[in-house]
Each structure stands twice: as structure tokens, then as C-alpha cells.
Amino acid sequence: MKIKGKAVRAKKSKGQRVKNELKALGLIDEGRMVGSDEDYVYVPVLERVPDKYEVVEKELETREKRKGFRELLVERFGEKGAKGVLSSYDVVGDIAIVQVPEGLRAHEAEVGELLLRGEKKVNAVWKKAGGREGEFRVTKLMHLAGEERSETEYVENGVRMKLDVRKVYFSPRLSHERKRVLGEVKEGENVLVLFAGVGPFALEIGKACPHAKVVGVELNPEAIKYFEENIVLNKLGNVEAVLGDAQKAAEGEFSGWADRIAMPLPMGAEEFLGAAFSAAKPGCIVHFYRMVDRKGGVEVLKERIRKAAEKAGREVEFIFEKEVRPYSAATMQIVIDFRTRQSDNP
Ligand SMILES: C[S@@+](CC[C@H](N)C(=O)[O-])C[C@H]1O[C@@H](n2cnc3c(N)ncnc32)[C@H](O)[C@@H]1O
């Protein structure tokens, strides 16, 4: 829609300079767009422009404020209806993944369209059609709106990652945790990432610490394909992707190798503690992720870690713990960092 109002007229050759000056003076009317004809640009302005500018009356397009997804969703389905969607959707690159709650199933196509409209960078929307499945922890997805494409590129902590949301596990919800861990790594360390996926932990550590050697082990061949591609994409000569079982790698090729181990397998990493102790050098730090009950789950887990250490002839010192993200009312994902050392009483 066009509306008439005051605008500064300037020769096209001077247009950008005039715009910058008026912006610096805080005089631009942000509710209307800049217009132009063959010779002039018209910058919409508020009252009281210095005399040196030529002010005319001009019809200019109004700038419509783009509504975000939250606003659109609440407007259409109310706070209550929107709540379940807003807490469960993720954006990975230009793809949105959404879980449509039971109550909105009949409107799921509309939810998809609102996502496309409200999330500026989203070009494709997929809905969750089940939980994470199998060893590879891949979520079954069904196309909901926009392009029917599931491969995307995502940037996190300065690292570019290509991945296919239908073929591999990926969650942007651990980005802050990856940032914390990469900040702990010291140059020259050997870092072993078990359950590496398309490589977020390994790539981000490798980029932040060029003199650390980082190895990621992953069982899903599709994830390894992207992991390798991502190493090249980010030109990282200090990161290696290994296709295989974490236990075999930790007890075999990487036995006694690691100064630091990340274990991001929140459903069952404790099965691999023995292998992690094999890979750990004395003093090795382990970042261990697990879903636990909010009530007492942390202590139960620590006891399991102590027992596994004892079995491996090691001792552990717990140095950090926190909730990484909420999972359900009763459970949360946590990280526990511990240091390992040879037991005095083997
Ligand atoms: C929760 S995902 C974490 C992926 C990645 N670290 C991330 O944060 O995006 C767990 C990954 O472990 C892999 N995985 C499961 N069992 C494994 C095993 N025995 N050895 C190596 N990788 C395994 C799965 O394929 C999956 O990619």
C-alpha cells in the first residue's frame, strides 16, 4: 500500500550518501520504503529535516512488518494451541522440523505454511512421524510444506555442516554445549569423539584448536559421508572421521590415545564406559551425556560411572555437571565431566 508523506529528494548519484546522513540523524521514517524514478531517490522522512535537503510530498510504499512464526501461530491457534508446536520445532539450515501436537493434526499443513512465512530462512518443512529410531537415532520425517528437500547446510560456532535430516541424527539444541566443550580443549590434545554423527563436536573442536588432533567415530555410513565432506568444506587437516563401532575403535586403534573423550549418546553411553577407559590416557577428561530422571538420576549415573571405572582399574574425579536441555517433565539431558586416573588399589 502507498501513502503520501514527506520525503527527501536527492539525485541518484547522491542517494546512498543522503540516506546514510538521514539515518545517522535518526530522521528516516521506517514505516515507508525508499522510492525512486529515473533521476531521483525519495527517502521517507519524519518532521524537521535540515534546510540543506529538498523535501517533497511523495507517495511511497509502506513497509509491512513481517510477522514471525510465533506471532502467526498464536494469532491463528491461540497461546495454548501454539505452545506445543513452539517448544518442539527446530530449524537446521533452511529446513524446519516440527512436531505437530494431537490437537493441531487437522491443521498441520497450515502449521507448515506458517513456518515458511514466519521463519525467514526456512524453505522446507518436515514433520516428525515418530521418535528417534534404531542405532543411528534417526527420526522418521514426513514432508509438510515448501521444498521437498531434506539436505541442507547449517552453520554452528563458525563451522559449516552439510547433512540430510532424514538420514542422520542431528540436533542444534546442543550448540551451546559444543561451544563450552571446545573452549575447554587445549592445543596439542588428542580428542576422541565417540558417536560423532556428521561431526559437530569434532569439527568445532578441530576448528577452534588447530593444534589438537581430533578423531570422530560413527557407525552410520551416511553420517560419515557427510562428516568427511564437512572436514573438506571447513578445510580441517586435524580432524579424522572413522566409520565403525565406538567400542571397537576405543579398545583397538585408539587404546591409550585420548586426552579428552566426548560421549554424546544420551540413550546408553554407559555401555561404552569400559571402552572409553581403554582409550583414556591417565588424566583424560570425559564429557559424558545422558538422559536421567530429574529425581536422583544424576547420583544413580555417577554411581554407574564409579563402578565402571572400578571395573577398569580406574578412579574418577567428577569436575562438572549441568542440565544440557530439558527432555520431559520427569527427565532431562545432562552432561557430567570427569577426570580419569589409574586406581591406587587396582
Ligand atoms: C545422539 S547421536 C549424536 C551425534 C552427534 N554427536 C551430534 O551431536 O549430532 C548418536 C550417534 O551415535 C551413533 N552411534 C550409535 N551407536 C554407535 C556405536 N556403537 N558406535 C559409533 N557410533 C554409534 C549414531 O549413529 C548417532 O549418529
Side-chain angles (χ1 to χ4, degrees):
M1 191 181 71
K2 280 188 169 180
I3 54 168
K4 203 166 182 178
K6 287 193 186 334
V8 164
R9 189 169 84 149
K11 282 263 186 222
K12 271 193 165 164
S13 57
K14 295 183 181 152
Q16 191 58 49
R17 202 189 72 209
V18 169
K19 239 189 310 182
N20 292 345
E21 288 171 5
L22 291 168
K23 196 171 172 91
L25 291 168
L27 292 174
I28 292 186
D29 176 1
E30 300 290 353
R32 290 178 295 147
M33 315 261 280
V34 174
S36 66
D37 57 24
E38 229 169 81
D39 301 317
Y40 295 99
V41 291
Y42 298 87
V43 186
V45 285
L46 305 163
E47 300 297 317
R48 292 179 190 283
V49 175
D51 290 344
K52 69 171 186 169
Y53 298 108
E54 183 193 357
V55 179
V56 296
E57 286 289 317
K58 182 78 182 163
E59 273 201 337
L60 293 171
E61 286 291 342
T62 52
R63 191 190 297 278
E64 262 189 48
K65 196 176 151 270
R66 195 190 162 111
K67 289 183 180 167
F69 179 49
R70 159 172 252 289
E71 205 178 341
L72 291 168
L73 206 62
V74 171
E75 205 172 83
R76 175 67 182 86
F77 300 112
E79 282 283 351
K80 213 169 151 203
K83 204 172 155 201
V85 179
L86 290 168
S87 61
S88 73
Y89 87 101
D90 284 318
V91 177
V92 181
D94 70 342
I95 294 179
I97 298 160
V98 63
Q99 182 153 19
V100 184
E102 197 67 43
L104 291 187
R105 287 281 152 82
H107 305 283
E108 61 184 24
E110 211 182 327
V111 171
E113 290 302 327
L114 293 182
L115 249 169
L116 284 178
R117 266 175 59 197
E119 283 281 356
K120 227 163 136 189
K121 60 180 181 181
V122 168
N123 294 316
V125 183
W126 293 80
K127 69 162 181 169
K128 290 184 190 167
R132 296 211 178 267
E133 282 173 6
E135 257 182 331
F136 299 161
R137 311 302 301 146
V138 176
T139 309
K140 192 165 176 212
L141 300 174
M142 283 171 74
H143 183 249
L144 199 55
E147 293 175 36
E148 203 167 336
R149 169 170 54 76
S150 52
E151 187 181 78
T152 190
E153 190 179 309
Y154 166 75
V155 181
E156 182 180 286
N157 297 324
V159 165
R160 294 167 64 191
M161 281 175 274
K162 263 177 86 170
L163 63 115
D164 188 321
V165 293
R166 296 177 79 195
K167 295 180 179 165
V168 302
Y169 172 98
F170 190 81
S171 171
R173 296 188 182 206
L174 252 62
S175 60
H176 58 288
E177 177 55 20
R178 293 191 267 263
K179 192 165 187 178
R180 180 186 75 87
V181 170
L182 72 85
E184 304 265 312
V185 178
K186 317 235 172 1
E187 290 294 3
E189 282 189 2
N190 287 344
V191 183
L192 184 62
V193 181
L194 303 176
F195 328 112
V198 299
F201 273 94
L203 298 162
E204 291 173 31
I205 292 170
K207 173 138 191 189
C209 305
H211 299 292
K213 171 85 186 129
V214 191
V215 171
V217 186
E218 168 59 46
L219 205 54
N220 178 353
E222 288 288 348
I224 282 287
K225 191 191 95 191
Y226 282 110
F227 188 178
E228 280 169 347
E229 211 176 321
N230 293 334
I231 292 173
V232 177
L233 202 61
N234 293 281
K235 303 186 181 72
L236 295 172
N238 59 337
V239 181
E240 187 189 343
V242 173
L243 172 64
D245 173 51
Q247 179 158 358
K248 283 198 187 126
E251 288 177 347
E253 195 182 342
F254 298 99
S255 173
W257 180 82
D259 297 296
R260 186 177 297 272
I261 302 175
M263 300 179 72
L265 183 72
M267 298 288 194
E270 63 277 11
E271 305 300 331
F272 296 82
L273 277 167
F277 287 121
S278 297
K281 281 185 193 171
C284 172
I285 288 176
V286 180
H287 305 282
F288 187 88
Y289 297 84
R290 184 69 173 106
M291 296 296 177
V292 294
D293 279 347
R294 288 185 180 278
K295 280 193 194 141
V298 176
E299 285 316 311
V300 172
L301 182 60
K302 281 183 171 171
E303 194 45 35
R304 288 190 81 165
I305 294 171
R306 268 190 218 102
K307 287 238 166 76
E310 206 179 305
K311 206 169 155 198
R314 304 288 177 107
E315 280 175 1
V316 290
E317 178 195 352
F318 295 108
I319 50 181
F320 180 81
E321 67 192 51
K322 74 161 186 186
E323 177 175 342
V324 174
R325 65 182 177 112
Y327 187 68
S328 68
T331 52
M332 58 181 173
Q333 183 174 345
I334 57 151
V335 59
I336 293 185
D337 293 353
F338 57 88
R339 188 176 285 114
T340 69
R341 56 170 181 263
Q342 213 64 42
S343 171
D344 294 335
N345 314 300

